[in-house]
Amino acid sequence: MISVDQLGVEFSGHTLFKDVSFVINENDKIALMGKNGAGKSTMMKIIAGVSSPSKGGVRHPKDTVIAYLPQHLLMEDDCTVMEEASKAFASIFAMKATMDALNKELETRTDYESDAYMKIIERVSDLGEKFYAVEEVNYEGEVEKALKGLGFKASDFNRATSEFSGGWRMRIELAKILLQKPDLILLDEPTNHVDIESVMWLEDFLINKAKAVVVISHDKAFIDNITNRTIEVTMGTIHDYKANYSHYLTLRKERRSHQVKAYKEQQKMIADNQQFIDRFKGTYSKSNQVASRERMLEKVVPIEIDEVDTSSLSLRFPPAPRSGDYPVKVEGMSKKYGDLTIFKDASFAIARGEKVSFVGRNGEGKSTMIKAIMGEIEFEGKCGLGHNAKVGYFAQNQASLLDEDLTVFQTVDQVAKGDIRTQIKNILGQFMFGGDAIDKKVKMLSGGEKTRLAMVKLLLDPVNVLILDEPTNHLDLRSKEVIKDALLAFDGTLILVSHDRDFLGGLSEKVFEFKDQRVIEHFETIDAFLERNSIKNLKEIDL
């Protein structure tokens, strides 16, 4: 059991949260929710032990193992997959190395009666007790087993971690977590930059193998599937629900409704008593009653109503200019990187107004095909845009391509042309960049803010083909819903790559599956494709 006691955090006089207390039990699966800036990641870092609170603390048994997967992987690229995964046992290896060094020192020292010699013996004894209490394990064999279970081949073990995509690198980190057999797993946005298969594996692992879990995620389907408890961080405190995310939303709405009712009743009571005080103050016969009501009002604790994020994100793509019948055409196309074939003999056409999804494992060629369509890479065969196709392209790393030294306003002003320049402030306001926010440097923005800013740039010119490669990473649930509504209303052609099943649902009427060096066209909705492939259980998936 892990206990969070009277936790408080202050930054430059601003209180992020105060007197927060809760307990994480052995098999709790907790979603940590709240609007951006509420303090979710800060709280998780404190529980992980990588940050310190202003007040209070976290208590747990001495031997508790807590594993933390941060939002941004900090993995260094100076070792192989095997070496990185073996770091799960770093503390055990370090303990053994220390014992060996101390024993070697004892062999060379001759001051057998000195205090220093006795302290070394005591330390060796303490370390030995801990080391030999650990179950004897073939560490290399355990690492191999974990990596193979996560989809790595034996030929991958000695490859540099830098050769792998974000999804596979996350699997290496998860292998380290699995090998530690932690009592608590902390995950901050674990599904960003990860393909559907990786998300499915993670769900399966957390549901069936993990002990306690605390997760921050904007992937609604993911958190609904794995959690049985929701802790909401809001207004400097928390509300704890024994429910998954969807049920929590219902309970939260009911709670706020009760708060509003109680607040109105309290305000009426205060007004009635104040009216009595104002009317009879100075009246001798009522002086005791007036004094009594004044004392009562002084003791009233104001009822607070939970904050609601009232900022509005209004996203509407401009009407699409008419393109040719087939704005995207691919014929007999192949792509290789050296001896590695990504896909071969791909042929398909996407009709005007069609909304399609590209699906498949990381590394099977989804982003490569998009780059080919955009003319960014060389290839064999034919691939490109049709007559009058005007493209709006959101790359997977679009947010990171922004100039960090520019302000929000300058970023948009640079690309705006004509009359649209007079509307820049209004457009930015619609994307929650109101007031002084337009003067913030890009380097000061959060991941979600950068993604929204990149979306603003996408809206400046009317297009008839939208190509979006993982557009929802770092966006909160509400922003994703608004963007999805805008895409549903878009009257042009849409090509979408996303790992977010809830976001994908209902968006496309055709699926192109990238698998085994082929591009397979499925004449069905993304919902039907996912259901047919049983993508609710990793054991049944074959993407």
Side-chain angles (χ1 to χ4, degrees):
M1 186 177 76
I2 297 166
S3 178
V4 176
D5 297 326
Q6 302 296 309
L7 213 59
V9 171
E10 295 180 1
F11 294 114
S12 304
H14 168 68
T15 300
L16 187 59
F17 41 78
K18 59 183 179 182
D19 297 330
V20 169
S21 298
F22 60 93
V23 169
I24 302 172
N25 298 303
E26 185 176 355
N27 292 306
D28 279 344
K29 304 292 193 295
I30 301 171
L32 200 58
M33 305 303 296
K35 72 175 190 177
N36 289 344
K40 304 184 298 295
S41 292
T42 300
M43 186 176 292
M44 183 170 281
K45 287 176 183 176
I46 291 171
I47 297 171
V50 299
S51 292
S52 300
S54 306
K55 298 176 182 176
V58 179
R59 293 186 298 110
H60 51 73
K62 187 177 179 181
D63 296 327
T64 300
V65 177
I66 297 177
Y68 170 51
L69 185 74
Q71 186 172 155
H72 303 288
L73 292 181
L74 302 176
M75 184 191 299
E76 297 180 2
D77 292 323
D78 59 352
C79 60
T80 66
V81 172
M82 173 65 80
E83 289 167 343
E84 185 66 38
S86 295
K87 289 179 182 179
F89 303 113
S91 62
I92 296 173
F93 296 154
M95 198 186 306
K96 178 68 164 58
T98 302
M99 285 172 55
D100 290 345
L102 290 173
N103 280 320
K104 191 169 185 179
E105 185 177 348
L106 288 174
E107 289 174 7
T108 59
R109 293 182 70 134
T110 57
D111 54 335
Y112 309 119
E113 304 297 329
S114 70
D115 290 342
Y117 192 90
M118 295 307 296
K119 284 181 179 178
I120 294 174
I121 290 178
E122 287 176 12
R123 193 167 176 215
V124 169
S125 177
D126 289 341
L127 286 172
E129 189 175 337
K130 292 177 183 177
F131 181 79
Y132 293 111
V134 176
E135 183 181 348
E136 190 171 339
V137 171
N138 174 3
Y139 296 112
E140 187 172 326
E142 288 296 303
V143 172
E144 288 186 6
K145 189 192 304 181
L147 289 172
K148 286 181 178 178
L150 291 172
F152 289 94
K153 301 172 184 174
S155 57
D156 293 328
F157 294 169
N158 292 318
R159 290 173 60 191
T161 58
S162 57
E163 296 179 24
F164 291 85
S165 65
W168 287 100
R169 288 156 70 91
M170 191 196 78
R171 291 190 194 197
I172 299 172
E173 290 299 298
L174 286 168
K176 288 156 68 175
I177 287 175
L178 183 151
L179 290 164
Q180 291 176 59
K181 298 180 180 176
D183 301 288
L184 171 64
I185 298 174
L186 302 169
L187 304 172
D188 193 350
E189 294 292 357
T191 64
N192 282 352
H193 309 295
V194 180
D195 58 32
I196 290 178
E197 184 191 80
S198 297
V199 177
M200 293 301 99
W201 175 85
L202 181 55
E203 280 185 9
D204 183 70
F205 169 61
L206 295 176
I207 292 168
N208 297 311
K209 296 175 183 168
K211 295 179 183 177
V213 177
V214 178
V215 61
I216 299 170
S217 178
H218 291 140
D219 186 330
K220 182 180 176 182
F222 175 72
I223 54 176
D224 259 352
N225 287 344
I226 68 167
T227 61
N228 53 26
R229 182 177 166 194
T230 302
I231 294 179
E232 179 190 13
V233 183
T234 177
M235 297 174 67
T237 187
I238 65 165
H239 295 285
D240 197 342
Y241 298 85
K242 301 296 187 289
N244 70 1
Y245 178 73
S246 292
H247 190 199
Y248 142 77
L249 289 178
T250 302
L251 296 175
R252 185 185 191 278
K253 187 176 180 181
E254 291 174 359
R255 187 186 82 224
R256 194 172 188 280
S257 177
H258 291 314
Q259 287 176 339
V260 170
K261 181 181 178 182
Y263 175 80
K264 288 179 178 178
E265 290 174 352
Q266 187 183 65
Q267 290 300 303
K268 184 178 184 305
M269 180 273 291
I270 291 171
D272 289 346
N273 280 282
Q274 190 62 53
Q275 186 179 23
F276 181 91
I277 292 168
D278 293 341
R279 180 180 177 185
F280 294 109
K281 196 160 191 175
T283 303
Y284 180 75
S285 61
K286 301 284 188 180
S287 61
N288 287 339
Q289 290 173 275
V290 168
S292 174
R293 295 193 184 206
E294 285 178 331
R295 287 194 298 272
M296 180 188 70
L297 290 184
E298 288 173 1
K299 296 178 181 178
V300 168
V301 178
I303 291 173
E304 290 186 330
I305 301 173
D306 288 347
E307 61 185 345
V308 174
D309 192 355
T310 56
S311 53
S312 61
L313 174 60
S314 177
L315 194 164
R316 286 294 177 269
F317 293 99
R322 186 176 178 83
S323 69
D325 290 342
Y326 293 96
V328 177
K329 298 177 182 177
V330 176
E331 186 177 342
M333 178 194 164
S334 299
K335 177 60 185 174
K336 292 183 179 180
Y337 289 107
D339 294 330
L340 177 64
T341 298
I342 306 300
F343 42 72
K344 56 188 176 184
D345 298 326
S347 296
F348 61 86
I350 300 175
R352 180 178 63 243
E354 272 191 329
K355 291 181 171 66
V356 306
S357 295
F358 285 1
V359 302
R361 295 175 179 173
N362 283 350
E364 292 282 0
K366 304 184 297 295
S367 294
T368 300
M369 177 62 77
I370 286 175
K371 289 175 182 176
I373 293 170
M374 293 300 299
E376 294 181 356
I377 58 173
E378 295 181 354
F379 51 84
E380 297 177 7
K382 296 179 180 179
C383 175
L385 300 169
H387 174 67
N388 201 36
K390 191 170 185 182
V391 177
Y393 176 36
F394 188 95
Q396 191 170 147
N397 62 337
Q398 197 73 36
S400 65
L401 299 177
L402 298 171
D403 187 334
E404 296 210 327
D405 291 324
L406 296 179
T407 66
V408 169
F409 183 86
Q410 289 169 336
T411 299
V412 178
D413 189 47
Q414 265 195 348
V415 294
K417 298 175 183 178
D419 293 340
I420 195 73
R421 296 190 68 192
T422 64
Q423 303 176 42
I424 289 177
K425 287 188 178 180
N426 290 335
I427 294 171
L428 287 171
Q430 290 177 330
F431 278 77
M432 294 185 276
F433 292 109
D436 295 338
I438 65 172
D439 296 321
K440 286 174 72 173
K441 289 281 186 76
V442 170
K443 68 177 70 172
M444 302 301 292
L445 301 180
S446 67
E449 287 171 329
K450 287 179 181 178
T451 299
R452 291 204 306 271
L453 185 58
M455 279 284 180
V456 173
K457 293 180 67 177
L458 192 64
L459 286 175
L460 291 176
D461 285 322
V463 300
N464 48 35
V465 180
L466 271 175
I467 301 178
L468 307 180
D469 192 356
E470 299 291 2
T472 63
N473 287 342
H474 306 297
L475 288 183
D476 59 36
L477 287 161
R478 193 167 152 278
S479 297
K480 287 198 292 189
E481 288 172 2
V482 177
I483 290 172
K484 181 174 178 176
D485 288 341
L487 291 174
L488 287 167
F490 177 59
D491 58 353
T493 303
L494 172 66
I495 298 174
L496 179 64
V497 178
S498 177
H499 66 268
D500 189 326
R501 289 155 296 162
D502 191 63
F503 182 75
L504 282 169
L507 259 181
S508 63
E509 61 235 22
K510 187 187 289 186
V511 176
F512 290 95
E513 181 184 11
F514 289 71
K515 177 181 178 181
D516 299 333
Q517 302 178 355
R518 300 166 59 213
V519 182
I520 307 164
E521 189 171 3
H522 297 276
F523 294 89
E524 60 186 340
T525 66
I526 184 66
D527 308 80
F529 174 81
L530 294 177
E531 183 177 353
R532 183 170 58 80
N533 281 275
S534 303
I535 305 184
K536 289 185 179 179
N537 189 322
L538 180 64
K539 295 182 178 67
E540 300 172 19
I541 192 172
D542 187 22
L543 272 182

